[in-house]
Amino acid sequence: QCEGGGGSAGGSWICVGRSDGVVVCVEGRMGSVLNTWKAHDDSVVQIYCINANQVVTVGKDKRAILWDLRGGGVDGGVMKMSSIVDLPMRGPGMTMNSVAMRTFNRKEGGKASNILYTVSGHKAAAAAIQPPGSPEFKVKPRNFCDPGGQKVQKKKLCARSMVLLPMRNLMILGCEDGELKACV
């Protein structure tokens, strides 16, 4: 079963994540399989293109992994470059709607930073995609806070989805009770 997907900026390849944790990368025009690999221990919920050769996969195993599609792995296939672990997965669990990535360009020719955001239940996490070769990065999901700065408890909020708006990093949460909540 297809779960999440993403493609290269130029459309030369498309990656599709499956419910068994496998990612299939196909050529964009003819659809021939370029690569298949076991990316996660559970469903792949989202895939993001970083550049022409790298993708980030996010899985229900609470991991985000940066992959190099050019090869170099143990069997000559894709190579794991870095990973983020312990993403939040509470309440309704992780879905493609509870994960987002934003690229921030640094001034004066600095390298861009790709930030992964995840929400689930009453917790959220944000982490930069780690550079290739970095040790595994463990995030600490945080509770949302009310306008007074107090932690929002489990029974008060159950975020199921989010959208990041470009202005001032505003996040809109879709909650289990049907309400929308705005967060900064």
PDB file of all heavy atoms in Angstrom, residues 2-8 11-18 22-28 32 34-37 39 44-49 51-57 67-69 78:
ATOM      1  N   CYS A   2       0.594   2.170  -0.901  1.00  0.00           N
ATOM      2  CA  CYS A   2       1.351   3.423  -1.010  1.00  0.00           C
ATOM      3  C   CYS A   2       0.989   4.340   0.152  1.00  0.00           C
ATOM      4  O   CYS A   2      -0.173   4.522   0.468  1.00  0.00           O
ATOM      5  CB  CYS A   2       1.028   4.091  -2.329  1.00  0.00           C
ATOM      6  SG  CYS A   2       1.808   5.690  -2.550  1.00  0.00           S
ATOM      7  N   GLU A   3       1.988   4.901   0.812  1.00  0.00           N
ATOM      8  CA  GLU A   3       1.758   5.765   1.963  1.00  0.00           C
ATOM      9  C   GLU A   3       2.150   7.212   1.694  1.00  0.00           C
ATOM     10  O   GLU A   3       1.376   8.111   1.857  1.00  0.00           O
ATOM     11  CB  GLU A   3       2.533   5.245   3.177  1.00  0.00           C
ATOM     12  CG  GLU A   3       2.032   3.915   3.707  1.00  0.00           C
ATOM     13  CD  GLU A   3       0.751   4.024   4.495  1.00  0.00           C
ATOM     14  OE1 GLU A   3       0.521   5.039   5.160  1.00  0.00           O
ATOM     15  OE2 GLU A   3      -0.032   3.072   4.442  1.00  0.00           O
ATOM     16  N   GLY A   4       3.396   7.470   1.307  1.00  0.00           N
ATOM     17  CA  GLY A   4       3.883   8.835   1.088  1.00  0.00           C
ATOM     18  C   GLY A   4       4.780   8.856  -0.122  1.00  0.00           C
ATOM     19  O   GLY A   4       5.281   7.823  -0.550  1.00  0.00           O
ATOM     20  N   GLY A   5       4.982  10.041  -0.693  1.00  0.00           N
ATOM     21  CA  GLY A   5       5.838  10.114  -1.862  1.00  0.00           C
ATOM     22  C   GLY A   5       6.431  11.490  -2.050  1.00  0.00           C
ATOM     23  O   GLY A   5       6.023  12.451  -1.410  1.00  0.00           O
ATOM     24  N   GLY A   6       7.410  11.565  -2.938  1.00  0.00           N
ATOM     25  CA  GLY A   6       8.066  12.822  -3.262  1.00  0.00           C
ATOM     26  C   GLY A   6       8.886  12.641  -4.521  1.00  0.00           C
ATOM     27  O   GLY A   6       9.191  11.520  -4.904  1.00  0.00           O
ATOM     28  N   GLY A   7       9.223  13.749  -5.174  1.00  0.00           N
ATOM     29  CA  GLY A   7       9.987  13.658  -6.400  1.00  0.00           C
ATOM     30  C   GLY A   7      11.066  14.698  -6.479  1.00  0.00           C
ATOM     31  O   GLY A   7      11.090  15.653  -5.696  1.00  0.00           O
ATOM     32  N   SER A   8      11.962  14.525  -7.446  1.00  0.00           N
ATOM     33  CA  SER A   8      13.038  15.484  -7.637  1.00  0.00           C
ATOM     34  C   SER A   8      12.465  16.773  -8.207  1.00  0.00           C
ATOM     35  O   SER A   8      11.402  16.777  -8.829  1.00  0.00           O
ATOM     36  CB  SER A   8      14.098  14.912  -8.576  1.00  0.00           C
ATOM     37  OG  SER A   8      13.576  14.766  -9.876  1.00  0.00           O
ATOM     38  N   GLY A  11      11.891  16.536 -11.800  1.00  0.00           N
ATOM     39  CA  GLY A  11      11.018  15.451 -12.216  1.00  0.00           C
ATOM     40  C   GLY A  11      11.737  14.247 -12.786  1.00  0.00           C
ATOM     41  O   GLY A  11      11.124  13.369 -13.389  1.00  0.00           O
ATOM     42  N   SER A  12      13.065  14.165 -12.618  1.00  0.00           N
ATOM     43  CA  SER A  12      13.803  13.039 -13.186  1.00  0.00           C
ATOM     44  C   SER A  12      13.562  11.729 -12.432  1.00  0.00           C
ATOM     45  O   SER A  12      13.764  10.658 -12.984  1.00  0.00           O
ATOM     46  CB  SER A  12      15.299  13.350 -13.247  1.00  0.00           C
ATOM     47  OG  SER A  12      15.806  13.576 -11.949  1.00  0.00           O
ATOM     48  N   TRP A  13      13.118  11.794 -11.194  1.00  0.00           N
ATOM     49  CA  TRP A  13      12.772  10.593 -10.432  1.00  0.00           C
ATOM     50  C   TRP A  13      11.637  10.890  -9.454  1.00  0.00           C
ATOM     51  O   TRP A  13      11.376  12.030  -9.107  1.00  0.00           O
ATOM     52  CB  TRP A  13      13.981  10.011  -9.688  1.00  0.00           C
ATOM     53  CG  TRP A  13      14.744  11.002  -8.849  1.00  0.00           C
ATOM     54  CD1 TRP A  13      15.895  11.642  -9.189  1.00  0.00           C
ATOM     55  CD2 TRP A  13      14.408  11.476  -7.532  1.00  0.00           C
ATOM     56  NE1 TRP A  13      16.293  12.493  -8.189  1.00  0.00           N
ATOM     57  CE2 TRP A  13      15.403  12.405  -7.144  1.00  0.00           C
ATOM     58  CE3 TRP A  13      13.372  11.213  -6.648  1.00  0.00           C
ATOM     59  CZ2 TRP A  13      15.382  13.065  -5.927  1.00  0.00           C
ATOM     60  CZ3 TRP A  13      13.357  11.870  -5.414  1.00  0.00           C
ATOM     61  CH2 TRP A  13      14.356  12.784  -5.070  1.00  0.00           C
ATOM     62  N   ILE A  14      10.957   9.832  -9.057  1.00  0.00           N
ATOM     63  CA  ILE A  14       9.862   9.905  -8.088  1.00  0.00           C
ATOM     64  C   ILE A  14      10.070   8.775  -7.098  1.00  0.00           C
ATOM     65  O   ILE A  14      10.337   7.637  -7.493  1.00  0.00           O
ATOM     66  CB  ILE A  14       8.494   9.734  -8.782  1.00  0.00           C
ATOM     67  CG1 ILE A  14       8.267  10.841  -9.809  1.00  0.00           C
ATOM     68  CG2 ILE A  14       7.366   9.696  -7.758  1.00  0.00           C
ATOM     69  CD1 ILE A  14       7.123  10.581 -10.749  1.00  0.00           C
ATOM     70  N   CYS A  15       9.966   9.082  -5.798  1.00  0.00           N
ATOM     71  CA  CYS A  15      10.065   8.056  -4.762  1.00  0.00           C
ATOM     72  C   CYS A  15       8.693   7.861  -4.118  1.00  0.00           C
ATOM     73  O   CYS A  15       7.989   8.840  -3.850  1.00  0.00           O
ATOM     74  CB  CYS A  15      11.062   8.455  -3.675  1.00  0.00           C
ATOM     75  SG  CYS A  15      12.778   8.373  -4.205  1.00  0.00           S
ATOM     76  N   VAL A  16       8.350   6.629  -3.865  1.00  0.00           N
ATOM     77  CA  VAL A  16       7.083   6.290  -3.223  1.00  0.00           C
ATOM     78  C   VAL A  16       7.390   5.413  -2.020  1.00  0.00           C
ATOM     79  O   VAL A  16       8.147   4.441  -2.124  1.00  0.00           O
ATOM     80  CB  VAL A  16       6.155   5.541  -4.208  1.00  0.00           C
ATOM     81  CG1 VAL A  16       4.872   5.130  -3.511  1.00  0.00           C
ATOM     82  CG2 VAL A  16       5.865   6.392  -5.426  1.00  0.00           C
ATOM     83  N   GLY A  17       6.805   5.774  -0.868  1.00  0.00           N
ATOM     84  CA  GLY A  17       6.986   4.990   0.342  1.00  0.00           C
ATOM     85  C   GLY A  17       5.802   4.061   0.545  1.00  0.00           C
ATOM     86  O   GLY A  17       4.658   4.421   0.257  1.00  0.00           O
ATOM     87  N   ARG A  18       6.088   2.862   1.047  1.00  0.00           N
ATOM     88  CA  ARG A  18       5.032   1.864   1.239  1.00  0.00           C
ATOM     89  C   ARG A  18       4.769   1.618   2.722  1.00  0.00           C
ATOM     90  O   ARG A  18       5.562   2.009   3.586  1.00  0.00           O
ATOM     91  CB  ARG A  18       5.422   0.552   0.555  1.00  0.00           C
ATOM     92  CG  ARG A  18       5.655   0.704  -0.918  1.00  0.00           C
ATOM     93  CD  ARG A  18       5.860  -0.585  -1.675  1.00  0.00           C
ATOM     94  NE  ARG A  18       6.507  -1.663  -0.944  1.00  0.00           N
ATOM     95  CZ  ARG A  18       7.180  -2.652  -1.514  1.00  0.00           C
ATOM     96  NH1 ARG A  18       7.318  -2.697  -2.816  1.00  0.00           N
ATOM     97  NH2 ARG A  18       7.719  -3.592  -0.788  1.00  0.00           N
ATOM     98  N   VAL A  22       9.260   0.111   2.843  1.00  0.00           N
ATOM     99  CA  VAL A  22      10.097   0.088   1.645  1.00  0.00           C
ATOM    100  C   VAL A  22       9.836   1.348   0.819  1.00  0.00           C
ATOM    101  O   VAL A  22       8.705   1.813   0.720  1.00  0.00           O
ATOM    102  CB  VAL A  22       9.811  -1.181   0.809  1.00  0.00           C
ATOM    103  CG1 VAL A  22      10.489  -1.126  -0.558  1.00  0.00           C
ATOM    104  CG2 VAL A  22      10.267  -2.415   1.573  1.00  0.00           C
ATOM    105  N   VAL A  23      10.909   1.896   0.230  1.00  0.00           N
ATOM    106  CA  VAL A  23      10.811   3.019  -0.688  1.00  0.00           C
ATOM    107  C   VAL A  23      11.201   2.521  -2.076  1.00  0.00           C
ATOM    108  O   VAL A  23      12.191   1.810  -2.232  1.00  0.00           O
ATOM    109  CB  VAL A  23      11.731   4.188  -0.271  1.00  0.00           C
ATOM    110  CG1 VAL A  23      11.743   5.293  -1.324  1.00  0.00           C
ATOM    111  CG2 VAL A  23      11.294   4.752   1.068  1.00  0.00           C
ATOM    112  N   VAL A  24      10.399   2.914  -3.065  1.00  0.00           N
ATOM    113  CA  VAL A  24      10.685   2.573  -4.452  1.00  0.00           C
ATOM    114  C   VAL A  24      10.929   3.887  -5.186  1.00  0.00           C
ATOM    115  O   VAL A  24      10.114   4.800  -5.124  1.00  0.00           O
ATOM    116  CB  VAL A  24       9.510   1.812  -5.107  1.00  0.00           C
ATOM    117  CG1 VAL A  24       9.825   1.491  -6.567  1.00  0.00           C
ATOM    118  CG2 VAL A  24       9.189   0.545  -4.334  1.00  0.00           C
ATOM    119  N   CYS A  25      12.071   3.979  -5.858  1.00  0.00           N
ATOM    120  CA  CYS A  25      12.432   5.173  -6.625  1.00  0.00           C
ATOM    121  C   CYS A  25      12.360   4.804  -8.105  1.00  0.00           C
ATOM    122  O   CYS A  25      13.019   3.842  -8.538  1.00  0.00           O
ATOM    123  CB  CYS A  25      13.836   5.635  -6.247  1.00  0.00           C
ATOM    124  SG  CYS A  25      14.304   7.197  -7.002  1.00  0.00           S
ATOM    125  N   VAL A  26      11.534   5.539  -8.856  1.00  0.00           N
ATOM    126  CA  VAL A  26      11.365   5.249 -10.274  1.00  0.00           C
ATOM    127  C   VAL A  26      11.798   6.444 -11.112  1.00  0.00           C
ATOM    128  O   VAL A  26      11.756   7.585 -10.667  1.00  0.00           O
ATOM    129  CB  VAL A  26       9.904   4.865 -10.612  1.00  0.00           C
ATOM    130  CG1 VAL A  26       9.504   3.592  -9.907  1.00  0.00           C
ATOM    131  CG2 VAL A  26       8.950   5.984 -10.301  1.00  0.00           C
ATOM    132  N   GLU A  27      12.186   6.153 -12.352  1.00  0.00           N
ATOM    133  CA  GLU A  27      12.552   7.187 -13.307  1.00  0.00           C
ATOM    134  C   GLU A  27      11.283   7.938 -13.681  1.00  0.00           C
ATOM    135  O   GLU A  27      10.225   7.346 -13.875  1.00  0.00           O
ATOM    136  CB  GLU A  27      13.202   6.519 -14.534  1.00  0.00           C
ATOM    137  CG  GLU A  27      13.913   7.457 -15.454  1.00  0.00           C
ATOM    138  CD  GLU A  27      12.995   7.981 -16.537  1.00  0.00           C
ATOM    139  OE1 GLU A  27      12.070   7.273 -16.931  1.00  0.00           O
ATOM    140  OE2 GLU A  27      13.209   9.124 -16.952  1.00  0.00           O
ATOM    141  N   GLY A  28      11.355   9.274 -13.739  1.00  0.00           N
ATOM    142  CA  GLY A  28      10.174  10.108 -13.884  1.00  0.00           C
ATOM    143  C   GLY A  28       9.431  10.009 -15.198  1.00  0.00           C
ATOM    144  O   GLY A  28       8.224  10.211 -15.234  1.00  0.00           O
ATOM    145  N   SER A  32      10.635   3.282 -15.017  1.00  0.00           N
ATOM    146  CA  SER A  32      11.473   2.116 -14.685  1.00  0.00           C
ATOM    147  C   SER A  32      12.049   2.291 -13.284  1.00  0.00           C
ATOM    148  O   SER A  32      12.396   3.396 -12.857  1.00  0.00           O
ATOM    149  CB  SER A  32      12.588   1.934 -15.718  1.00  0.00           C
ATOM    150  OG  SER A  32      13.370   3.099 -15.812  1.00  0.00           O
ATOM    151  N   LEU A  34      14.494   2.550 -10.413  1.00  0.00           N
ATOM    152  CA  LEU A  34      15.909   2.900 -10.256  1.00  0.00           C
ATOM    153  C   LEU A  34      16.495   2.267  -9.004  1.00  0.00           C
ATOM    154  O   LEU A  34      17.649   1.862  -8.988  1.00  0.00           O
ATOM    155  CB  LEU A  34      16.071   4.423 -10.165  1.00  0.00           C
ATOM    156  CG  LEU A  34      15.597   5.230 -11.362  1.00  0.00           C
ATOM    157  CD1 LEU A  34      15.647   6.719 -11.054  1.00  0.00           C
ATOM    158  CD2 LEU A  34      16.453   4.901 -12.574  1.00  0.00           C
ATOM    159  N   ASN A  35      15.695   2.196  -7.943  1.00  0.00           N
ATOM    160  CA  ASN A  35      16.170   1.678  -6.661  1.00  0.00           C
ATOM    161  C   ASN A  35      14.993   1.292  -5.785  1.00  0.00           C
ATOM    162  O   ASN A  35      13.933   1.921  -5.849  1.00  0.00           O
ATOM    163  CB  ASN A  35      16.984   2.747  -5.923  1.00  0.00           C
ATOM    164  CG  ASN A  35      18.402   2.335  -5.695  1.00  0.00           C
ATOM    165  OD1 ASN A  35      18.656   1.195  -5.321  1.00  0.00           O
ATOM    166  ND2 ASN A  35      19.327   3.236  -5.917  1.00  0.00           N
ATOM    167  N   THR A  36      15.194   0.294  -4.952  1.00  0.00           N
ATOM    168  CA  THR A  36      14.225  -0.122  -3.940  1.00  0.00           C
ATOM    169  C   THR A  36      15.013  -0.439  -2.687  1.00  0.00           C
ATOM    170  O   THR A  36      16.040  -1.124  -2.770  1.00  0.00           O
ATOM    171  CB  THR A  36      13.462  -1.389  -4.399  1.00  0.00           C
ATOM    172  OG1 THR A  36      12.804  -1.092  -5.636  1.00  0.00           O
ATOM    173  CG2 THR A  36      12.426  -1.816  -3.380  1.00  0.00           C
ATOM    174  N   TRP A  37      14.574   0.081  -1.534  1.00  0.00           N
ATOM    175  CA  TRP A  37      15.285  -0.210  -0.293  1.00  0.00           C
ATOM    176  C   TRP A  37      14.354  -0.163   0.905  1.00  0.00           C
ATOM    177  O   TRP A  37      13.334   0.508   0.873  1.00  0.00           O
ATOM    178  CB  TRP A  37      16.476   0.720  -0.107  1.00  0.00           C
ATOM    179  CG  TRP A  37      16.163   2.146   0.255  1.00  0.00           C
ATOM    180  CD1 TRP A  37      16.170   2.696   1.505  1.00  0.00           C
ATOM    181  CD2 TRP A  37      15.824   3.216  -0.626  1.00  0.00           C
ATOM    182  NE1 TRP A  37      15.855   4.029   1.469  1.00  0.00           N
ATOM    183  CE2 TRP A  37      15.630   4.372   0.156  1.00  0.00           C
ATOM    184  CE3 TRP A  37      15.645   3.313  -2.009  1.00  0.00           C
ATOM    185  CZ2 TRP A  37      15.284   5.595  -0.395  1.00  0.00           C
ATOM    186  CZ3 TRP A  37      15.289   4.534  -2.552  1.00  0.00           C
ATOM    187  CH2 TRP A  37      15.120   5.654  -1.743  1.00  0.00           C
ATOM    188  N   ALA A  39      13.595   1.371   4.064  1.00  0.00           N
ATOM    189  CA  ALA A  39      13.955   2.633   4.693  1.00  0.00           C
ATOM    190  C   ALA A  39      13.555   2.687   6.166  1.00  0.00           C
ATOM    191  O   ALA A  39      14.234   3.326   6.967  1.00  0.00           O
ATOM    192  CB  ALA A  39      13.298   3.797   3.951  1.00  0.00           C
ATOM    193  N   VAL A  44       6.169   4.265   5.670  1.00  0.00           N
ATOM    194  CA  VAL A  44       6.785   5.527   5.272  1.00  0.00           C
ATOM    195  C   VAL A  44       5.635   6.513   5.084  1.00  0.00           C
ATOM    196  O   VAL A  44       4.747   6.271   4.269  1.00  0.00           O
ATOM    197  CB  VAL A  44       7.579   5.383   3.957  1.00  0.00           C
ATOM    198  CG1 VAL A  44       8.150   6.721   3.519  1.00  0.00           C
ATOM    199  CG2 VAL A  44       8.684   4.348   4.113  1.00  0.00           C
ATOM    200  N   VAL A  45       5.633   7.605   5.853  1.00  0.00           N
ATOM    201  CA  VAL A  45       4.516   8.549   5.784  1.00  0.00           C
ATOM    202  C   VAL A  45       4.797   9.772   4.927  1.00  0.00           C
ATOM    203  O   VAL A  45       3.866  10.416   4.451  1.00  0.00           O
ATOM    204  CB  VAL A  45       4.038   9.002   7.188  1.00  0.00           C
ATOM    205  CG1 VAL A  45       3.514   7.824   7.976  1.00  0.00           C
ATOM    206  CG2 VAL A  45       5.114   9.724   7.949  1.00  0.00           C
ATOM    207  N   GLN A  46       6.074  10.093   4.702  1.00  0.00           N
ATOM    208  CA  GLN A  46       6.391  11.282   3.908  1.00  0.00           C
ATOM    209  C   GLN A  46       7.795  11.163   3.337  1.00  0.00           C
ATOM    210  O   GLN A  46       8.678  10.552   3.947  1.00  0.00           O
ATOM    211  CB  GLN A  46       6.284  12.541   4.766  1.00  0.00           C
ATOM    212  CG  GLN A  46       6.228  13.842   4.027  1.00  0.00           C
ATOM    213  CD  GLN A  46       5.065  13.979   3.083  1.00  0.00           C
ATOM    214  OE1 GLN A  46       5.171  13.528   1.952  1.00  0.00           O
ATOM    215  NE2 GLN A  46       3.984  14.609   3.514  1.00  0.00           N
ATOM    216  N   ILE A  47       7.999  11.762   2.153  1.00  0.00           N
ATOM    217  CA  ILE A  47       9.314  11.803   1.507  1.00  0.00           C
ATOM    218  C   ILE A  47       9.531  13.219   0.997  1.00  0.00           C
ATOM    219  O   ILE A  47       8.647  13.793   0.357  1.00  0.00           O
ATOM    220  CB  ILE A  47       9.410  10.796   0.340  1.00  0.00           C
ATOM    221  CG1 ILE A  47       9.191   9.373   0.853  1.00  0.00           C
ATOM    222  CG2 ILE A  47      10.768  10.930  -0.365  1.00  0.00           C
ATOM    223  CD1 ILE A  47       9.126   8.325  -0.242  1.00  0.00           C
ATOM    224  N   TYR A  48      10.706  13.781   1.280  1.00  0.00           N
ATOM    225  CA  TYR A  48      11.057  15.136   0.843  1.00  0.00           C
ATOM    226  C   TYR A  48      12.325  15.096   0.016  1.00  0.00           C
ATOM    227  O   TYR A  48      13.301  14.443   0.400  1.00  0.00           O
ATOM    228  CB  TYR A  48      11.278  16.064   2.045  1.00  0.00           C
ATOM    229  CG  TYR A  48      10.038  16.277   2.860  1.00  0.00           C
ATOM    230  CD1 TYR A  48       9.849  15.593   4.043  1.00  0.00           C
ATOM    231  CD2 TYR A  48       9.051  17.159   2.434  1.00  0.00           C
ATOM    232  CE1 TYR A  48       8.697  15.775   4.796  1.00  0.00           C
ATOM    233  CE2 TYR A  48       7.896  17.351   3.172  1.00  0.00           C
ATOM    234  CZ  TYR A  48       7.730  16.655   4.352  1.00  0.00           C
ATOM    235  OH  TYR A  48       6.593  16.840   5.084  1.00  0.00           O
ATOM    236  N   CYS A  49      12.326  15.819  -1.093  1.00  0.00           N
ATOM    237  CA  CYS A  49      13.502  15.965  -1.937  1.00  0.00           C
ATOM    238  C   CYS A  49      14.379  17.069  -1.362  1.00  0.00           C
ATOM    239  O   CYS A  49      13.907  18.182  -1.142  1.00  0.00           O
ATOM    240  CB  CYS A  49      13.050  16.318  -3.348  1.00  0.00           C
ATOM    241  SG  CYS A  49      14.395  16.751  -4.447  1.00  0.00           S
ATOM    242  N   ASN A  51      17.782  17.571  -2.711  1.00  0.00           N
ATOM    243  CA  ASN A  51      18.434  18.026  -3.937  1.00  0.00           C
ATOM    244  C   ASN A  51      18.322  16.899  -4.965  1.00  0.00           C
ATOM    245  O   ASN A  51      17.582  15.944  -4.745  1.00  0.00           O
ATOM    246  CB  ASN A  51      19.890  18.458  -3.674  1.00  0.00           C
ATOM    247  CG  ASN A  51      20.718  17.349  -3.080  1.00  0.00           C
ATOM    248  OD1 ASN A  51      20.611  16.184  -3.477  1.00  0.00           O
ATOM    249  ND2 ASN A  51      21.569  17.688  -2.121  1.00  0.00           N
ATOM    250  N   ALA A  52      19.052  16.991  -6.058  1.00  0.00           N
ATOM    251  CA  ALA A  52      18.942  15.989  -7.123  1.00  0.00           C
ATOM    252  C   ALA A  52      19.359  14.591  -6.685  1.00  0.00           C
ATOM    253  O   ALA A  52      19.000  13.603  -7.333  1.00  0.00           O
ATOM    254  CB  ALA A  52      19.768  16.429  -8.324  1.00  0.00           C
ATOM    255  N   ASN A  53      20.099  14.482  -5.582  1.00  0.00           N
ATOM    256  CA  ASN A  53      20.633  13.180  -5.170  1.00  0.00           C
ATOM    257  C   ASN A  53      20.215  12.731  -3.773  1.00  0.00           C
ATOM    258  O   ASN A  53      20.589  11.643  -3.351  1.00  0.00           O
ATOM    259  CB  ASN A  53      22.166  13.211  -5.220  1.00  0.00           C
ATOM    260  CG  ASN A  53      22.672  13.555  -6.594  1.00  0.00           C
ATOM    261  OD1 ASN A  53      22.277  12.948  -7.581  1.00  0.00           O
ATOM    262  ND2 ASN A  53      23.527  14.548  -6.669  1.00  0.00           N
ATOM    263  N   GLN A  54      19.505  13.555  -3.036  1.00  0.00           N
ATOM    264  CA  GLN A  54      19.188  13.220  -1.643  1.00  0.00           C
ATOM    265  C   GLN A  54      17.704  13.391  -1.330  1.00  0.00           C
ATOM    266  O   GLN A  54      17.072  14.335  -1.802  1.00  0.00           O
ATOM    267  CB  GLN A  54      19.988  14.104  -0.682  1.00  0.00           C
ATOM    268  CG  GLN A  54      21.476  13.889  -0.771  1.00  0.00           C
ATOM    269  CD  GLN A  54      22.251  14.842   0.122  1.00  0.00           C
ATOM    270  OE1 GLN A  54      21.763  15.895   0.506  1.00  0.00           O
ATOM    271  NE2 GLN A  54      23.475  14.469   0.442  1.00  0.00           N
ATOM    272  N   VAL A  55      17.184  12.452  -0.538  1.00  0.00           N
ATOM    273  CA  VAL A  55      15.814  12.531  -0.044  1.00  0.00           C
ATOM    274  C   VAL A  55      15.813  12.285   1.456  1.00  0.00           C
ATOM    275  O   VAL A  55      16.729  11.652   2.002  1.00  0.00           O
ATOM    276  CB  VAL A  55      14.859  11.508  -0.710  1.00  0.00           C
ATOM    277  CG1 VAL A  55      14.696  11.780  -2.182  1.00  0.00           C
ATOM    278  CG2 VAL A  55      15.312  10.083  -0.461  1.00  0.00           C
ATOM    279  N   VAL A  56      14.776  12.799   2.105  1.00  0.00           N
ATOM    280  CA  VAL A  56      14.522  12.503   3.511  1.00  0.00           C
ATOM    281  C   VAL A  56      13.232  11.703   3.553  1.00  0.00           C
ATOM    282  O   VAL A  56      12.223  12.107   2.965  1.00  0.00           O
ATOM    283  CB  VAL A  56      14.369  13.788   4.354  1.00  0.00           C
ATOM    284  CG1 VAL A  56      13.884  13.465   5.758  1.00  0.00           C
ATOM    285  CG2 VAL A  56      15.680  14.540   4.413  1.00  0.00           C
ATOM    286  N   THR A  57      13.274  10.555   4.222  1.00  0.00           N
ATOM    287  CA  THR A  57      12.070   9.759   4.428  1.00  0.00           C
ATOM    288  C   THR A  57      11.682   9.866   5.897  1.00  0.00           C
ATOM    289  O   THR A  57      12.548   9.931   6.771  1.00  0.00           O
ATOM    290  CB  THR A  57      12.286   8.281   4.058  1.00  0.00           C
ATOM    291  OG1 THR A  57      13.331   7.735   4.881  1.00  0.00           O
ATOM    292  CG2 THR A  57      12.654   8.130   2.591  1.00  0.00           C
ATOM    293  N   TRP A  67      18.880  10.152   2.869  1.00  0.00           N
ATOM    294  CA  TRP A  67      19.447   9.120   1.997  1.00  0.00           C
ATOM    295  C   TRP A  67      20.144   9.761   0.804  1.00  0.00           C
ATOM    296  O   TRP A  67      19.676  10.757   0.270  1.00  0.00           O
ATOM    297  CB  TRP A  67      18.342   8.209   1.460  1.00  0.00           C
ATOM    298  CG  TRP A  67      17.546   7.500   2.506  1.00  0.00           C
ATOM    299  CD1 TRP A  67      16.360   7.903   3.042  1.00  0.00           C
ATOM    300  CD2 TRP A  67      17.880   6.272   3.138  1.00  0.00           C
ATOM    301  NE1 TRP A  67      15.931   6.997   3.975  1.00  0.00           N
ATOM    302  CE2 TRP A  67      16.843   5.980   4.055  1.00  0.00           C
ATOM    303  CE3 TRP A  67      18.941   5.389   3.031  1.00  0.00           C
ATOM    304  CZ2 TRP A  67      16.846   4.845   4.841  1.00  0.00           C
ATOM    305  CZ3 TRP A  67      18.941   4.251   3.824  1.00  0.00           C
ATOM    306  CH2 TRP A  67      17.905   3.983   4.717  1.00  0.00           C
ATOM    307  N   ASP A  68      21.251   9.136   0.362  1.00  0.00           N
ATOM    308  CA  ASP A  68      21.928   9.526  -0.872  1.00  0.00           C
ATOM    309  C   ASP A  68      21.538   8.509  -1.935  1.00  0.00           C
ATOM    310  O   ASP A  68      21.817   7.314  -1.786  1.00  0.00           O
ATOM    311  CB  ASP A  68      23.442   9.537  -0.673  1.00  0.00           C
ATOM    312  CG  ASP A  68      24.185  10.137  -1.856  1.00  0.00           C
ATOM    313  OD1 ASP A  68      23.660  10.077  -2.991  1.00  0.00           O
ATOM    314  OD2 ASP A  68      25.283  10.669  -1.641  1.00  0.00           O
ATOM    315  N   LEU A  69      20.883   8.952  -2.992  1.00  0.00           N
ATOM    316  CA  LEU A  69      20.392   8.055  -4.036  1.00  0.00           C
ATOM    317  C   LEU A  69      21.476   7.605  -5.009  1.00  0.00           C
ATOM    318  O   LEU A  69      21.247   6.709  -5.817  1.00  0.00           O
ATOM    319  CB  LEU A  69      19.267   8.749  -4.826  1.00  0.00           C
ATOM    320  CG  LEU A  69      18.053   9.177  -4.018  1.00  0.00           C
ATOM    321  CD1 LEU A  69      17.066   9.924  -4.907  1.00  0.00           C
ATOM    322  CD2 LEU A  69      17.394   7.996  -3.346  1.00  0.00           C
ATOM    323  N   VAL A  78      21.249   2.715  -2.268  1.00  0.00           N
ATOM    324  CA  VAL A  78      21.215   4.010  -1.591  1.00  0.00           C
ATOM    325  C   VAL A  78      21.976   3.936  -0.268  1.00  0.00           C
ATOM    326  O   VAL A  78      22.109   2.866   0.323  1.00  0.00           O
ATOM    327  CB  VAL A  78      19.767   4.493  -1.357  1.00  0.00           C
ATOM    328  CG1 VAL A  78      19.057   4.681  -2.673  1.00  0.00           C
ATOM    329  CG2 VAL A  78      19.017   3.559  -0.462  1.00  0.00           C
TER     330      VAL A  78
END
